[in-house]
Amino acid sequence: MARRTAAYSAIPLAVVLAVTACGPSHHGAAPPPSSAHRTTPSAGTLNPTTPPPATPSATTRPTRTNASPSTPAGTPHAAPCRSGQLRWTLTRLDAKPGHKPSTALLTATNTAARPCALHGYPYLEAHVGKGPAVWTEPGTRARIRLLLRHGRPVVFPLTYRAVPDRHGYCAIPTDFDPVIDVRPPHPARGDYGTPVRMTDTHGRPVRPVFCDTIRIGPPRQR
């Protein structure tokens, strides 16, 4: 009986030795790196898995347009209008500024042979050097999408206050003659605008007086 038990005990030991001999060999395999041997990124180096920090946007003057720069359906494709192909005129309609809002017309004419696209409102700014300044803001949220052909002008009405308020305040003092610059919507990089002079309805130069924000309305083509 003791001999039979010893024989049965020898069978499992033989099986274990056989499995061990047939299994994959791990000799020479490199052990997984421990946390003590992991490489730490040097100072100033971003982890590839970490997104770069967000850069705060610079504060700028009011947005120049509320319109989308995309070409509307059914409109022939045309490049955006640039300052070099536009002729601007600014005409004051009031014979003499009064206490009611004054009005003027800002007209753009395409002088290039090819049509161009106006997708938004132009931006007009009146300023005295780096000092007092006023600018246009759309008086409506209507989207502006126009195809401007050669020689076809488009007119934008302007409304503004041209006399000081009851406290005597005017954004640009009335004894100053401000410089006026106009830029098309979505101007090219480095486009600082086109200088324009204000005239009366007879084409004679007049001194512009802007005491508050200039409201620009939807255009009409002639």
Side-chain angles (χ1 to χ4, degrees):
M1 184 67 178
R3 187 176 300 173
R4 185 179 304 172
T5 302
Y8 289 159
S9 300
I11 293 174
L13 179 60
V15 172
V16 171
L17 293 177
V19 172
T20 303
C22 296
S25 175
H26 294 281
H27 294 289
S34 64
S35 57
H37 294 83
R38 290 175 187 168
T39 303
T40 302
S42 60
T45 303
L46 293 177
N47 191 324
T49 61
T50 304
T55 302
S57 58
T59 302
T60 58
R61 285 200 165 173
T63 303
R64 297 180 187 132
T65 177
N66 294 329
S68 169
S70 60
T71 302
T75 300
H77 177 74
C81 294
R82 301 304 186 194
S83 288
Q85 67 191 108
L86 295 176
R87 183 176 69 248
W88 298 96
T89 60
L90 181 60
T91 306
R92 191 183 73 188
L93 300 183
D94 309 271
K96 185 178 180 181
H99 287 277
K100 64 180 182 179
S102 294
T103 55
L105 297 179
L106 177 64
T107 304
T109 304
N110 181 9
T111 60
R114 293 188 177 185
C116 62
L118 276 180
H119 291 167
Y121 290 91
Y123 179 78
L124 180 146
E125 180 177 292
H127 58 92
V128 180
K130 295 183 179 180
V134 296
W135 48 82
T136 52
E137 290 185 1
T140 175
R141 294 186 178 182
R143 290 182 177 270
I144 304 304
R145 297 181 177 183
L146 297 175
L147 184 68
L148 199 58
R149 301 186 183 278
H150 171 75
R152 294 292 302 275
V154 59
V155 181
F156 294 86
L158 305 180
T159 305
Y160 56 96
R161 184 165 57 86
V163 294
D165 62 16
R166 60 191 182 89
H167 300 290
Y169 172 78
C170 185
I172 299 179
T174 57
D175 56 343
F176 287 175
D177 190 4
V179 174
I180 303 174
D181 297 315
V182 185
R183 276 175 282 189
H186 310 288
R189 184 181 298 241
D191 183 355
Y192 299 104
T194 302
V196 62
R197 292 287 298 177
M198 177 178 277
T199 66
D200 61 15
T201 54
H202 301 287
R204 296 173 297 202
V206 295
R207 173 178 287 183
V209 179
F210 300 111
C211 289
D212 206 343
T213 301
I214 306 167
R215 299 294 177 185
I216 183 169
R220 56 180 182 269
Q221 288 184 299
R222 290 180 175 174

